[in-house]
Amino acid sequence: MTMIVTSLLRLQQIYQGLKPGNESFQVEMVKRITNVTMAIDFLHTLEDFGRFTNKYIVLDCPTEMAKEILIQHVRDISLGRRTYHYLLSGLVMDDRWESEIIEFGAINITGFRLVDTNRRLIKEFYDSWKRLDPNTSAQAALMYDAVFVLVEAFNKILRKKPDQFRNNIRRGQTAMAAASTSANTTGLTSNGMLGGGIGSNLMGGSSSGGNGNGIGGGNSGGVGGSNSNNNNAPRALDCNTSKGWVNPWEHGDKISRYLRKVEIEGLTGDIKFNDDGRRVNYTLHVVEMTVNSAMVKVAEWSDDAGLQPLSAKYVRLKPHAEIEKNRTYIVTTLLEEPYIMLKRPVVGETLDSNDRFEGYCKDLADLLAKKLGINCK
């Protein structure tokens, strides 16, 4: 097996996760690339080592780069096709693979998908979402699910205790704790801009600087309410990790616990977490594109059952409906009797172009060109 990667970190993680004696694959070569040209040059090296040997390549790179590498591979006449089998890492196959690009169907490709497009929830979502964006990647689906996990966790907290965050909102802790601390420290809450300005303009208090009735009310107005000696003033959130520490929010532990209890159905399947916050009971779909079939699911992988092969229903690729008739197609072959031979001219005859050849392949190419209405040479 050969690996073409943009970073060696994933390869390191693979080796760290291996258990001695249980795995039987072998990595023969690893090439780190930064662009498509480097990948194609490396493929030429593999071709020189053994043109007719099977080559299994793990392609670990961004989606668009992976697509372009495959396209350039197929268009390169010096590289074989059927002897190559690509395994695309990550969730590249969840992105849109354009059916009009014929190169994607000219080589063997295996990859993983997280979004099951056959589920009713996915179909309904795509029907409404495609008006905004016809393409939905795995990253977009994960982001969509992450938002709903947060919403579900906060809804559970508020259903149990509706006033859980009321004091925080009233004091302005979540939005402007840092500004409040700075203002109280420097004495600007009484007559400065932070007193009436922030309190009145952002939080609905009055426009007066000295008597601003912001979120907290009181004499000084502003964000924190009252004066700096108030023991009930909100505690600032300092996320400056350069100091070596972070002040946790007072509700952080509770939110974390409720996040781990969330169980919903999302775009990426059933969402559930263990006590450590790691997602469990999810499924990856192993899909394959070959020289004879469009993309089809061949197996499933889950964190509890492992890899489960499926009976694949291969779908034969549809031929192109139209053939460009204003182009000249080049036929490449080798001189081999009786398929293609150099034609011997009679005395005084000059042969050029296609007339220089004869044989079975020549006759077949002429018949096809005539039937399709195209030119070939």
Side-chain angles (χ1 to χ4, degrees), residues 316-340:
R316 183 163 294 276
L317 295 172
K318 296 180 180 179
H320 290 285
E322 297 181 0
I323 297 178
E324 298 183 35
K325 297 185 178 182
N326 59 345
R327 295 179 59 184
T328 298
Y329 293 83
I330 299 176
V331 179
T332 304
T333 184
L334 298 174
L335 289 174
E336 182 70 29
E337 296 182 1
Y339 305 103
I340 194 77

PDB file of all heavy atoms in Angstrom, residues 316-340:
ATOM      1  N   ARG A 316     -24.482   0.313 -13.339  1.00  0.00           N
ATOM      2  CA  ARG A 316     -23.601   0.532 -14.485  1.00  0.00           C
ATOM      3  C   ARG A 316     -23.686   1.981 -14.946  1.00  0.00           C
ATOM      4  O   ARG A 316     -24.750   2.587 -14.970  1.00  0.00           O
ATOM      5  CB  ARG A 316     -23.982  -0.406 -15.633  1.00  0.00           C
ATOM      6  CG  ARG A 316     -23.051  -0.289 -16.843  1.00  0.00           C
ATOM      7  CD  ARG A 316     -23.198  -1.479 -17.751  1.00  0.00           C
ATOM      8  NE  ARG A 316     -22.733  -2.701 -17.105  1.00  0.00           N
ATOM      9  CZ  ARG A 316     -21.473  -3.082 -17.067  1.00  0.00           C
ATOM     10  NH1 ARG A 316     -20.535  -2.319 -17.625  1.00  0.00           N
ATOM     11  NH2 ARG A 316     -21.126  -4.202 -16.471  1.00  0.00           N
ATOM     12  N   LEU A 317     -22.533   2.517 -15.262  1.00  0.00           N
ATOM     13  CA  LEU A 317     -22.459   3.906 -15.692  1.00  0.00           C
ATOM     14  C   LEU A 317     -23.203   4.112 -17.003  1.00  0.00           C
ATOM     15  O   LEU A 317     -23.133   3.283 -17.908  1.00  0.00           O
ATOM     16  CB  LEU A 317     -20.996   4.328 -15.855  1.00  0.00           C
ATOM     17  CG  LEU A 317     -20.161   4.338 -14.564  1.00  0.00           C
ATOM     18  CD1 LEU A 317     -18.711   4.585 -14.904  1.00  0.00           C
ATOM     19  CD2 LEU A 317     -20.667   5.392 -13.607  1.00  0.00           C
ATOM     20  N   LYS A 318     -23.915   5.225 -17.090  1.00  0.00           N
ATOM     21  CA  LYS A 318     -24.642   5.546 -18.309  1.00  0.00           C
ATOM     22  C   LYS A 318     -23.688   6.155 -19.340  1.00  0.00           C
ATOM     23  O   LYS A 318     -22.877   7.014 -18.997  1.00  0.00           O
ATOM     24  CB  LYS A 318     -25.766   6.541 -18.008  1.00  0.00           C
ATOM     25  CG  LYS A 318     -26.841   5.995 -17.082  1.00  0.00           C
ATOM     26  CD  LYS A 318     -27.913   7.037 -16.836  1.00  0.00           C
ATOM     27  CE  LYS A 318     -28.993   6.491 -15.906  1.00  0.00           C
ATOM     28  NZ  LYS A 318     -30.041   7.521 -15.644  1.00  0.00           N
ATOM     29  N   PRO A 319     -23.788   5.719 -20.586  1.00  0.00           N
ATOM     30  CA  PRO A 319     -22.926   6.326 -21.616  1.00  0.00           C
ATOM     31  C   PRO A 319     -23.349   7.747 -21.900  1.00  0.00           C
ATOM     32  O   PRO A 319     -24.483   8.147 -21.598  1.00  0.00           O
ATOM     33  CB  PRO A 319     -23.165   5.425 -22.836  1.00  0.00           C
ATOM     34  CG  PRO A 319     -24.527   4.850 -22.608  1.00  0.00           C
ATOM     35  CD  PRO A 319     -24.674   4.666 -21.119  1.00  0.00           C
ATOM     36  N   HIS A 320     -22.478   8.521 -22.467  1.00  0.00           N
ATOM     37  CA  HIS A 320     -22.799   9.901 -22.790  1.00  0.00           C
ATOM     38  C   HIS A 320     -23.887   9.952 -23.848  1.00  0.00           C
ATOM     39  O   HIS A 320     -23.865   9.229 -24.846  1.00  0.00           O
ATOM     40  CB  HIS A 320     -21.556  10.631 -23.293  1.00  0.00           C
ATOM     41  CG  HIS A 320     -20.548  10.854 -22.217  1.00  0.00           C
ATOM     42  ND1 HIS A 320     -20.703  11.808 -21.245  1.00  0.00           N
ATOM     43  CD2 HIS A 320     -19.391  10.216 -21.940  1.00  0.00           C
ATOM     44  CE1 HIS A 320     -19.667  11.777 -20.416  1.00  0.00           C
ATOM     45  NE2 HIS A 320     -18.860  10.805 -20.814  1.00  0.00           N
ATOM     46  N   ALA A 321     -24.849  10.825 -23.615  1.00  0.00           N
ATOM     47  CA  ALA A 321     -25.978  10.929 -24.538  1.00  0.00           C
ATOM     48  C   ALA A 321     -25.568  11.569 -25.857  1.00  0.00           C
ATOM     49  O   ALA A 321     -26.124  11.261 -26.908  1.00  0.00           O
ATOM     50  CB  ALA A 321     -27.100  11.734 -23.887  1.00  0.00           C
ATOM     51  N   GLU A 322     -24.591  12.468 -25.801  1.00  0.00           N
ATOM     52  CA  GLU A 322     -24.182  13.160 -27.006  1.00  0.00           C
ATOM     53  C   GLU A 322     -22.685  12.997 -27.234  1.00  0.00           C
ATOM     54  O   GLU A 322     -21.907  12.948 -26.288  1.00  0.00           O
ATOM     55  CB  GLU A 322     -24.536  14.646 -26.913  1.00  0.00           C
ATOM     56  CG  GLU A 322     -26.029  14.922 -26.814  1.00  0.00           C
ATOM     57  CD  GLU A 322     -26.322  16.404 -26.762  1.00  0.00           C
ATOM     58  OE1 GLU A 322     -25.351  17.194 -26.798  1.00  0.00           O
ATOM     59  OE2 GLU A 322     -27.502  16.761 -26.684  1.00  0.00           O
ATOM     60  N   ILE A 323     -22.305  12.902 -28.479  1.00  0.00           N
ATOM     61  CA  ILE A 323     -20.897  12.828 -28.869  1.00  0.00           C
ATOM     62  C   ILE A 323     -20.586  14.052 -29.700  1.00  0.00           C
ATOM     63  O   ILE A 323     -21.308  14.361 -30.656  1.00  0.00           O
ATOM     64  CB  ILE A 323     -20.599  11.545 -29.668  1.00  0.00           C
ATOM     65  CG1 ILE A 323     -20.857  10.309 -28.788  1.00  0.00           C
ATOM     66  CG2 ILE A 323     -19.162  11.546 -30.173  1.00  0.00           C
ATOM     67  CD1 ILE A 323     -20.628   9.000 -29.504  1.00  0.00           C
ATOM     68  N   GLU A 324     -19.547  14.762 -29.313  1.00  0.00           N
ATOM     69  CA  GLU A 324     -19.179  15.967 -30.050  1.00  0.00           C
ATOM     70  C   GLU A 324     -18.709  15.586 -31.457  1.00  0.00           C
ATOM     71  O   GLU A 324     -17.744  14.842 -31.620  1.00  0.00           O
ATOM     72  CB  GLU A 324     -18.079  16.725 -29.304  1.00  0.00           C
ATOM     73  CG  GLU A 324     -18.519  17.204 -27.927  1.00  0.00           C
ATOM     74  CD  GLU A 324     -17.443  18.021 -27.246  1.00  0.00           C
ATOM     75  OE1 GLU A 324     -16.717  18.747 -27.948  1.00  0.00           O
ATOM     76  OE2 GLU A 324     -17.317  17.914 -26.028  1.00  0.00           O
ATOM     77  N   LYS A 325     -19.387  16.109 -32.434  1.00  0.00           N
ATOM     78  CA  LYS A 325     -19.100  15.733 -33.821  1.00  0.00           C
ATOM     79  C   LYS A 325     -18.171  16.714 -34.526  1.00  0.00           C
ATOM     80  O   LYS A 325     -17.826  16.509 -35.674  1.00  0.00           O
ATOM     81  CB  LYS A 325     -20.413  15.613 -34.606  1.00  0.00           C
ATOM     82  CG  LYS A 325     -21.326  14.511 -34.061  1.00  0.00           C
ATOM     83  CD  LYS A 325     -22.558  14.325 -34.921  1.00  0.00           C
ATOM     84  CE  LYS A 325     -23.423  13.196 -34.385  1.00  0.00           C
ATOM     85  NZ  LYS A 325     -24.620  12.950 -35.220  1.00  0.00           N
ATOM     86  N   ASN A 326     -17.805  17.755 -33.833  1.00  0.00           N
ATOM     87  CA  ASN A 326     -16.908  18.730 -34.456  1.00  0.00           C
ATOM     88  C   ASN A 326     -15.481  18.569 -33.943  1.00  0.00           C
ATOM     89  O   ASN A 326     -14.698  19.507 -33.956  1.00  0.00           O
ATOM     90  CB  ASN A 326     -17.399  20.149 -34.186  1.00  0.00           C
ATOM     91  CG  ASN A 326     -17.497  20.453 -32.693  1.00  0.00           C
ATOM     92  OD1 ASN A 326     -17.462  19.541 -31.874  1.00  0.00           O
ATOM     93  ND2 ASN A 326     -17.603  21.726 -32.354  1.00  0.00           N
ATOM     94  N   ARG A 327     -15.171  17.372 -33.495  1.00  0.00           N
ATOM     95  CA  ARG A 327     -13.825  17.098 -32.993  1.00  0.00           C
ATOM     96  C   ARG A 327     -13.237  15.894 -33.720  1.00  0.00           C
ATOM     97  O   ARG A 327     -13.965  15.050 -34.242  1.00  0.00           O
ATOM     98  CB  ARG A 327     -13.848  16.813 -31.488  1.00  0.00           C
ATOM     99  CG  ARG A 327     -14.270  17.988 -30.632  1.00  0.00           C
ATOM    100  CD  ARG A 327     -14.295  17.615 -29.171  1.00  0.00           C
ATOM    101  NE  ARG A 327     -12.985  17.158 -28.705  1.00  0.00           N
ATOM    102  CZ  ARG A 327     -12.763  16.697 -27.471  1.00  0.00           C
ATOM    103  NH1 ARG A 327     -13.749  16.633 -26.603  1.00  0.00           N
ATOM    104  NH2 ARG A 327     -11.553  16.309 -27.133  1.00  0.00           N
ATOM    105  N   THR A 328     -11.917  15.839 -33.743  1.00  0.00           N
ATOM    106  CA  THR A 328     -11.212  14.686 -34.297  1.00  0.00           C
ATOM    107  C   THR A 328     -10.672  13.855 -33.150  1.00  0.00           C
ATOM    108  O   THR A 328      -9.914  14.347 -32.310  1.00  0.00           O
ATOM    109  CB  THR A 328     -10.050  15.141 -35.200  1.00  0.00           C
ATOM    110  OG1 THR A 328     -10.580  15.894 -36.298  1.00  0.00           O
ATOM    111  CG2 THR A 328      -9.289  13.934 -35.725  1.00  0.00           C
ATOM    112  N   TYR A 329     -11.079  12.592 -33.086  1.00  0.00           N
ATOM    113  CA  TYR A 329     -10.685  11.701 -32.001  1.00  0.00           C
ATOM    114  C   TYR A 329      -9.432  10.917 -32.401  1.00  0.00           C
ATOM    115  O   TYR A 329      -9.328  10.422 -33.519  1.00  0.00           O
ATOM    116  CB  TYR A 329     -11.823  10.738 -31.653  1.00  0.00           C
ATOM    117  CG  TYR A 329     -13.017  11.431 -31.047  1.00  0.00           C
ATOM    118  CD1 TYR A 329     -13.984  12.037 -31.857  1.00  0.00           C
ATOM    119  CD2 TYR A 329     -13.174  11.498 -29.676  1.00  0.00           C
ATOM    120  CE1 TYR A 329     -15.079  12.681 -31.309  1.00  0.00           C
ATOM    121  CE2 TYR A 329     -14.269  12.140 -29.111  1.00  0.00           C
ATOM    122  CZ  TYR A 329     -15.213  12.731 -29.927  1.00  0.00           C
ATOM    123  OH  TYR A 329     -16.288  13.369 -29.379  1.00  0.00           O
ATOM    124  N   ILE A 330      -8.501  10.815 -31.477  1.00  0.00           N
ATOM    125  CA  ILE A 330      -7.239  10.125 -31.735  1.00  0.00           C
ATOM    126  C   ILE A 330      -7.322   8.698 -31.200  1.00  0.00           C
ATOM    127  O   ILE A 330      -7.640   8.483 -30.023  1.00  0.00           O
ATOM    128  CB  ILE A 330      -6.063  10.871 -31.079  1.00  0.00           C
ATOM    129  CG1 ILE A 330      -5.949  12.281 -31.670  1.00  0.00           C
ATOM    130  CG2 ILE A 330      -4.765  10.106 -31.272  1.00  0.00           C
ATOM    131  CD1 ILE A 330      -4.869  13.128 -31.025  1.00  0.00           C
ATOM    132  N   VAL A 331      -7.056   7.750 -32.042  1.00  0.00           N
ATOM    133  CA  VAL A 331      -7.062   6.333 -31.670  1.00  0.00           C
ATOM    134  C   VAL A 331      -5.611   5.888 -31.482  1.00  0.00           C
ATOM    135  O   VAL A 331      -4.784   6.038 -32.395  1.00  0.00           O
ATOM    136  CB  VAL A 331      -7.752   5.479 -32.745  1.00  0.00           C
ATOM    137  CG1 VAL A 331      -7.730   4.002 -32.331  1.00  0.00           C
ATOM    138  CG2 VAL A 331      -9.173   5.964 -32.981  1.00  0.00           C
ATOM    139  N   THR A 332      -5.318   5.353 -30.327  1.00  0.00           N
ATOM    140  CA  THR A 332      -3.958   4.904 -30.015  1.00  0.00           C
ATOM    141  C   THR A 332      -3.908   3.382 -29.977  1.00  0.00           C
ATOM    142  O   THR A 332      -4.757   2.751 -29.328  1.00  0.00           O
ATOM    143  CB  THR A 332      -3.494   5.462 -28.653  1.00  0.00           C
ATOM    144  OG1 THR A 332      -3.595   6.884 -28.683  1.00  0.00           O
ATOM    145  CG2 THR A 332      -2.064   5.067 -28.358  1.00  0.00           C
ATOM    146  N   THR A 333      -2.945   2.812 -30.662  1.00  0.00           N
ATOM    147  CA  THR A 333      -2.808   1.356 -30.677  1.00  0.00           C
ATOM    148  C   THR A 333      -1.359   0.993 -30.985  1.00  0.00           C
ATOM    149  O   THR A 333      -0.498   1.871 -31.114  1.00  0.00           O
ATOM    150  CB  THR A 333      -3.756   0.722 -31.719  1.00  0.00           C
ATOM    151  OG1 THR A 333      -3.667  -0.698 -31.638  1.00  0.00           O
ATOM    152  CG2 THR A 333      -3.384   1.170 -33.120  1.00  0.00           C
ATOM    153  N   LEU A 334      -1.099  -0.302 -31.106  1.00  0.00           N
ATOM    154  CA  LEU A 334       0.232  -0.809 -31.418  1.00  0.00           C
ATOM    155  C   LEU A 334       0.185  -1.608 -32.721  1.00  0.00           C
ATOM    156  O   LEU A 334      -0.842  -2.215 -33.053  1.00  0.00           O
ATOM    157  CB  LEU A 334       0.751  -1.698 -30.278  1.00  0.00           C
ATOM    158  CG  LEU A 334       0.933  -1.040 -28.911  1.00  0.00           C
ATOM    159  CD1 LEU A 334       1.312  -2.099 -27.871  1.00  0.00           C
ATOM    160  CD2 LEU A 334       1.992   0.049 -28.966  1.00  0.00           C
ATOM    161  N   LEU A 335       1.291  -1.592 -33.430  1.00  0.00           N
ATOM    162  CA  LEU A 335       1.372  -2.392 -34.651  1.00  0.00           C
ATOM    163  C   LEU A 335       1.435  -3.868 -34.282  1.00  0.00           C
ATOM    164  O   LEU A 335       2.359  -4.323 -33.613  1.00  0.00           O
ATOM    165  CB  LEU A 335       2.607  -1.997 -35.459  1.00  0.00           C
ATOM    166  CG  LEU A 335       2.552  -0.617 -36.133  1.00  0.00           C
ATOM    167  CD1 LEU A 335       3.903  -0.295 -36.772  1.00  0.00           C
ATOM    168  CD2 LEU A 335       1.437  -0.562 -37.161  1.00  0.00           C
ATOM    169  N   GLU A 336       0.397  -4.606 -34.654  1.00  0.00           N
ATOM    170  CA  GLU A 336       0.322  -6.029 -34.324  1.00  0.00           C
ATOM    171  C   GLU A 336      -0.599  -6.700 -35.335  1.00  0.00           C
ATOM    172  O   GLU A 336      -1.803  -6.389 -35.407  1.00  0.00           O
ATOM    173  CB  GLU A 336      -0.209  -6.220 -32.910  1.00  0.00           C
ATOM    174  CG  GLU A 336      -0.281  -7.677 -32.466  1.00  0.00           C
ATOM    175  CD  GLU A 336       1.104  -8.287 -32.250  1.00  0.00           C
ATOM    176  OE1 GLU A 336       2.034  -7.525 -31.896  1.00  0.00           O
ATOM    177  OE2 GLU A 336       1.233  -9.504 -32.436  1.00  0.00           O
ATOM    178  N   GLU A 337      -0.066  -7.594 -36.141  1.00  0.00           N
ATOM    179  CA  GLU A 337      -0.881  -8.313 -37.120  1.00  0.00           C
ATOM    180  C   GLU A 337      -1.837  -9.263 -36.397  1.00  0.00           C
ATOM    181  O   GLU A 337      -1.477  -9.868 -35.383  1.00  0.00           O
ATOM    182  CB  GLU A 337       0.016  -9.120 -38.067  1.00  0.00           C
ATOM    183  CG  GLU A 337       0.935  -8.273 -38.932  1.00  0.00           C
ATOM    184  CD  GLU A 337       1.761  -9.124 -39.890  1.00  0.00           C
ATOM    185  OE1 GLU A 337       1.581 -10.367 -39.880  1.00  0.00           O
ATOM    186  OE2 GLU A 337       2.570  -8.572 -40.635  1.00  0.00           O
ATOM    187  N   PRO A 338      -3.061  -9.426 -36.853  1.00  0.00           N
ATOM    188  CA  PRO A 338      -3.673  -8.776 -38.034  1.00  0.00           C
ATOM    189  C   PRO A 338      -4.507  -7.553 -37.637  1.00  0.00           C
ATOM    190  O   PRO A 338      -5.357  -7.119 -38.403  1.00  0.00           O
ATOM    191  CB  PRO A 338      -4.566  -9.894 -38.576  1.00  0.00           C
ATOM    192  CG  PRO A 338      -5.057 -10.561 -37.324  1.00  0.00           C
ATOM    193  CD  PRO A 338      -3.915 -10.494 -36.331  1.00  0.00           C
ATOM    194  N   TYR A 339      -4.273  -7.029 -36.415  1.00  0.00           N
ATOM    195  CA  TYR A 339      -5.134  -5.950 -35.908  1.00  0.00           C
ATOM    196  C   TYR A 339      -4.809  -4.600 -36.532  1.00  0.00           C
ATOM    197  O   TYR A 339      -5.711  -3.877 -36.972  1.00  0.00           O
ATOM    198  CB  TYR A 339      -5.018  -5.894 -34.378  1.00  0.00           C
ATOM    199  CG  TYR A 339      -5.333  -7.203 -33.723  1.00  0.00           C
ATOM    200  CD1 TYR A 339      -4.322  -8.028 -33.252  1.00  0.00           C
ATOM    201  CD2 TYR A 339      -6.659  -7.638 -33.610  1.00  0.00           C
ATOM    202  CE1 TYR A 339      -4.617  -9.250 -32.669  1.00  0.00           C
ATOM    203  CE2 TYR A 339      -6.964  -8.859 -33.025  1.00  0.00           C
ATOM    204  CZ  TYR A 339      -5.930  -9.668 -32.563  1.00  0.00           C
ATOM    205  OH  TYR A 339      -6.230 -10.880 -32.002  1.00  0.00           O
ATOM    206  N   ILE A 340      -3.547  -4.254 -36.573  1.00  0.00           N
ATOM    207  CA  ILE A 340      -3.148  -3.010 -37.206  1.00  0.00           C
ATOM    208  C   ILE A 340      -1.787  -3.214 -37.862  1.00  0.00           C
ATOM    209  O   ILE A 340      -0.858  -3.735 -37.232  1.00  0.00           O
ATOM    210  CB  ILE A 340      -3.121  -1.839 -36.193  1.00  0.00           C
ATOM    211  CG1 ILE A 340      -3.031  -0.502 -36.926  1.00  0.00           C
ATOM    212  CG2 ILE A 340      -2.027  -2.007 -35.190  1.00  0.00           C
ATOM    213  CD1 ILE A 340      -4.337  -0.077 -37.526  1.00  0.00           C
TER     214      ILE A 340
END
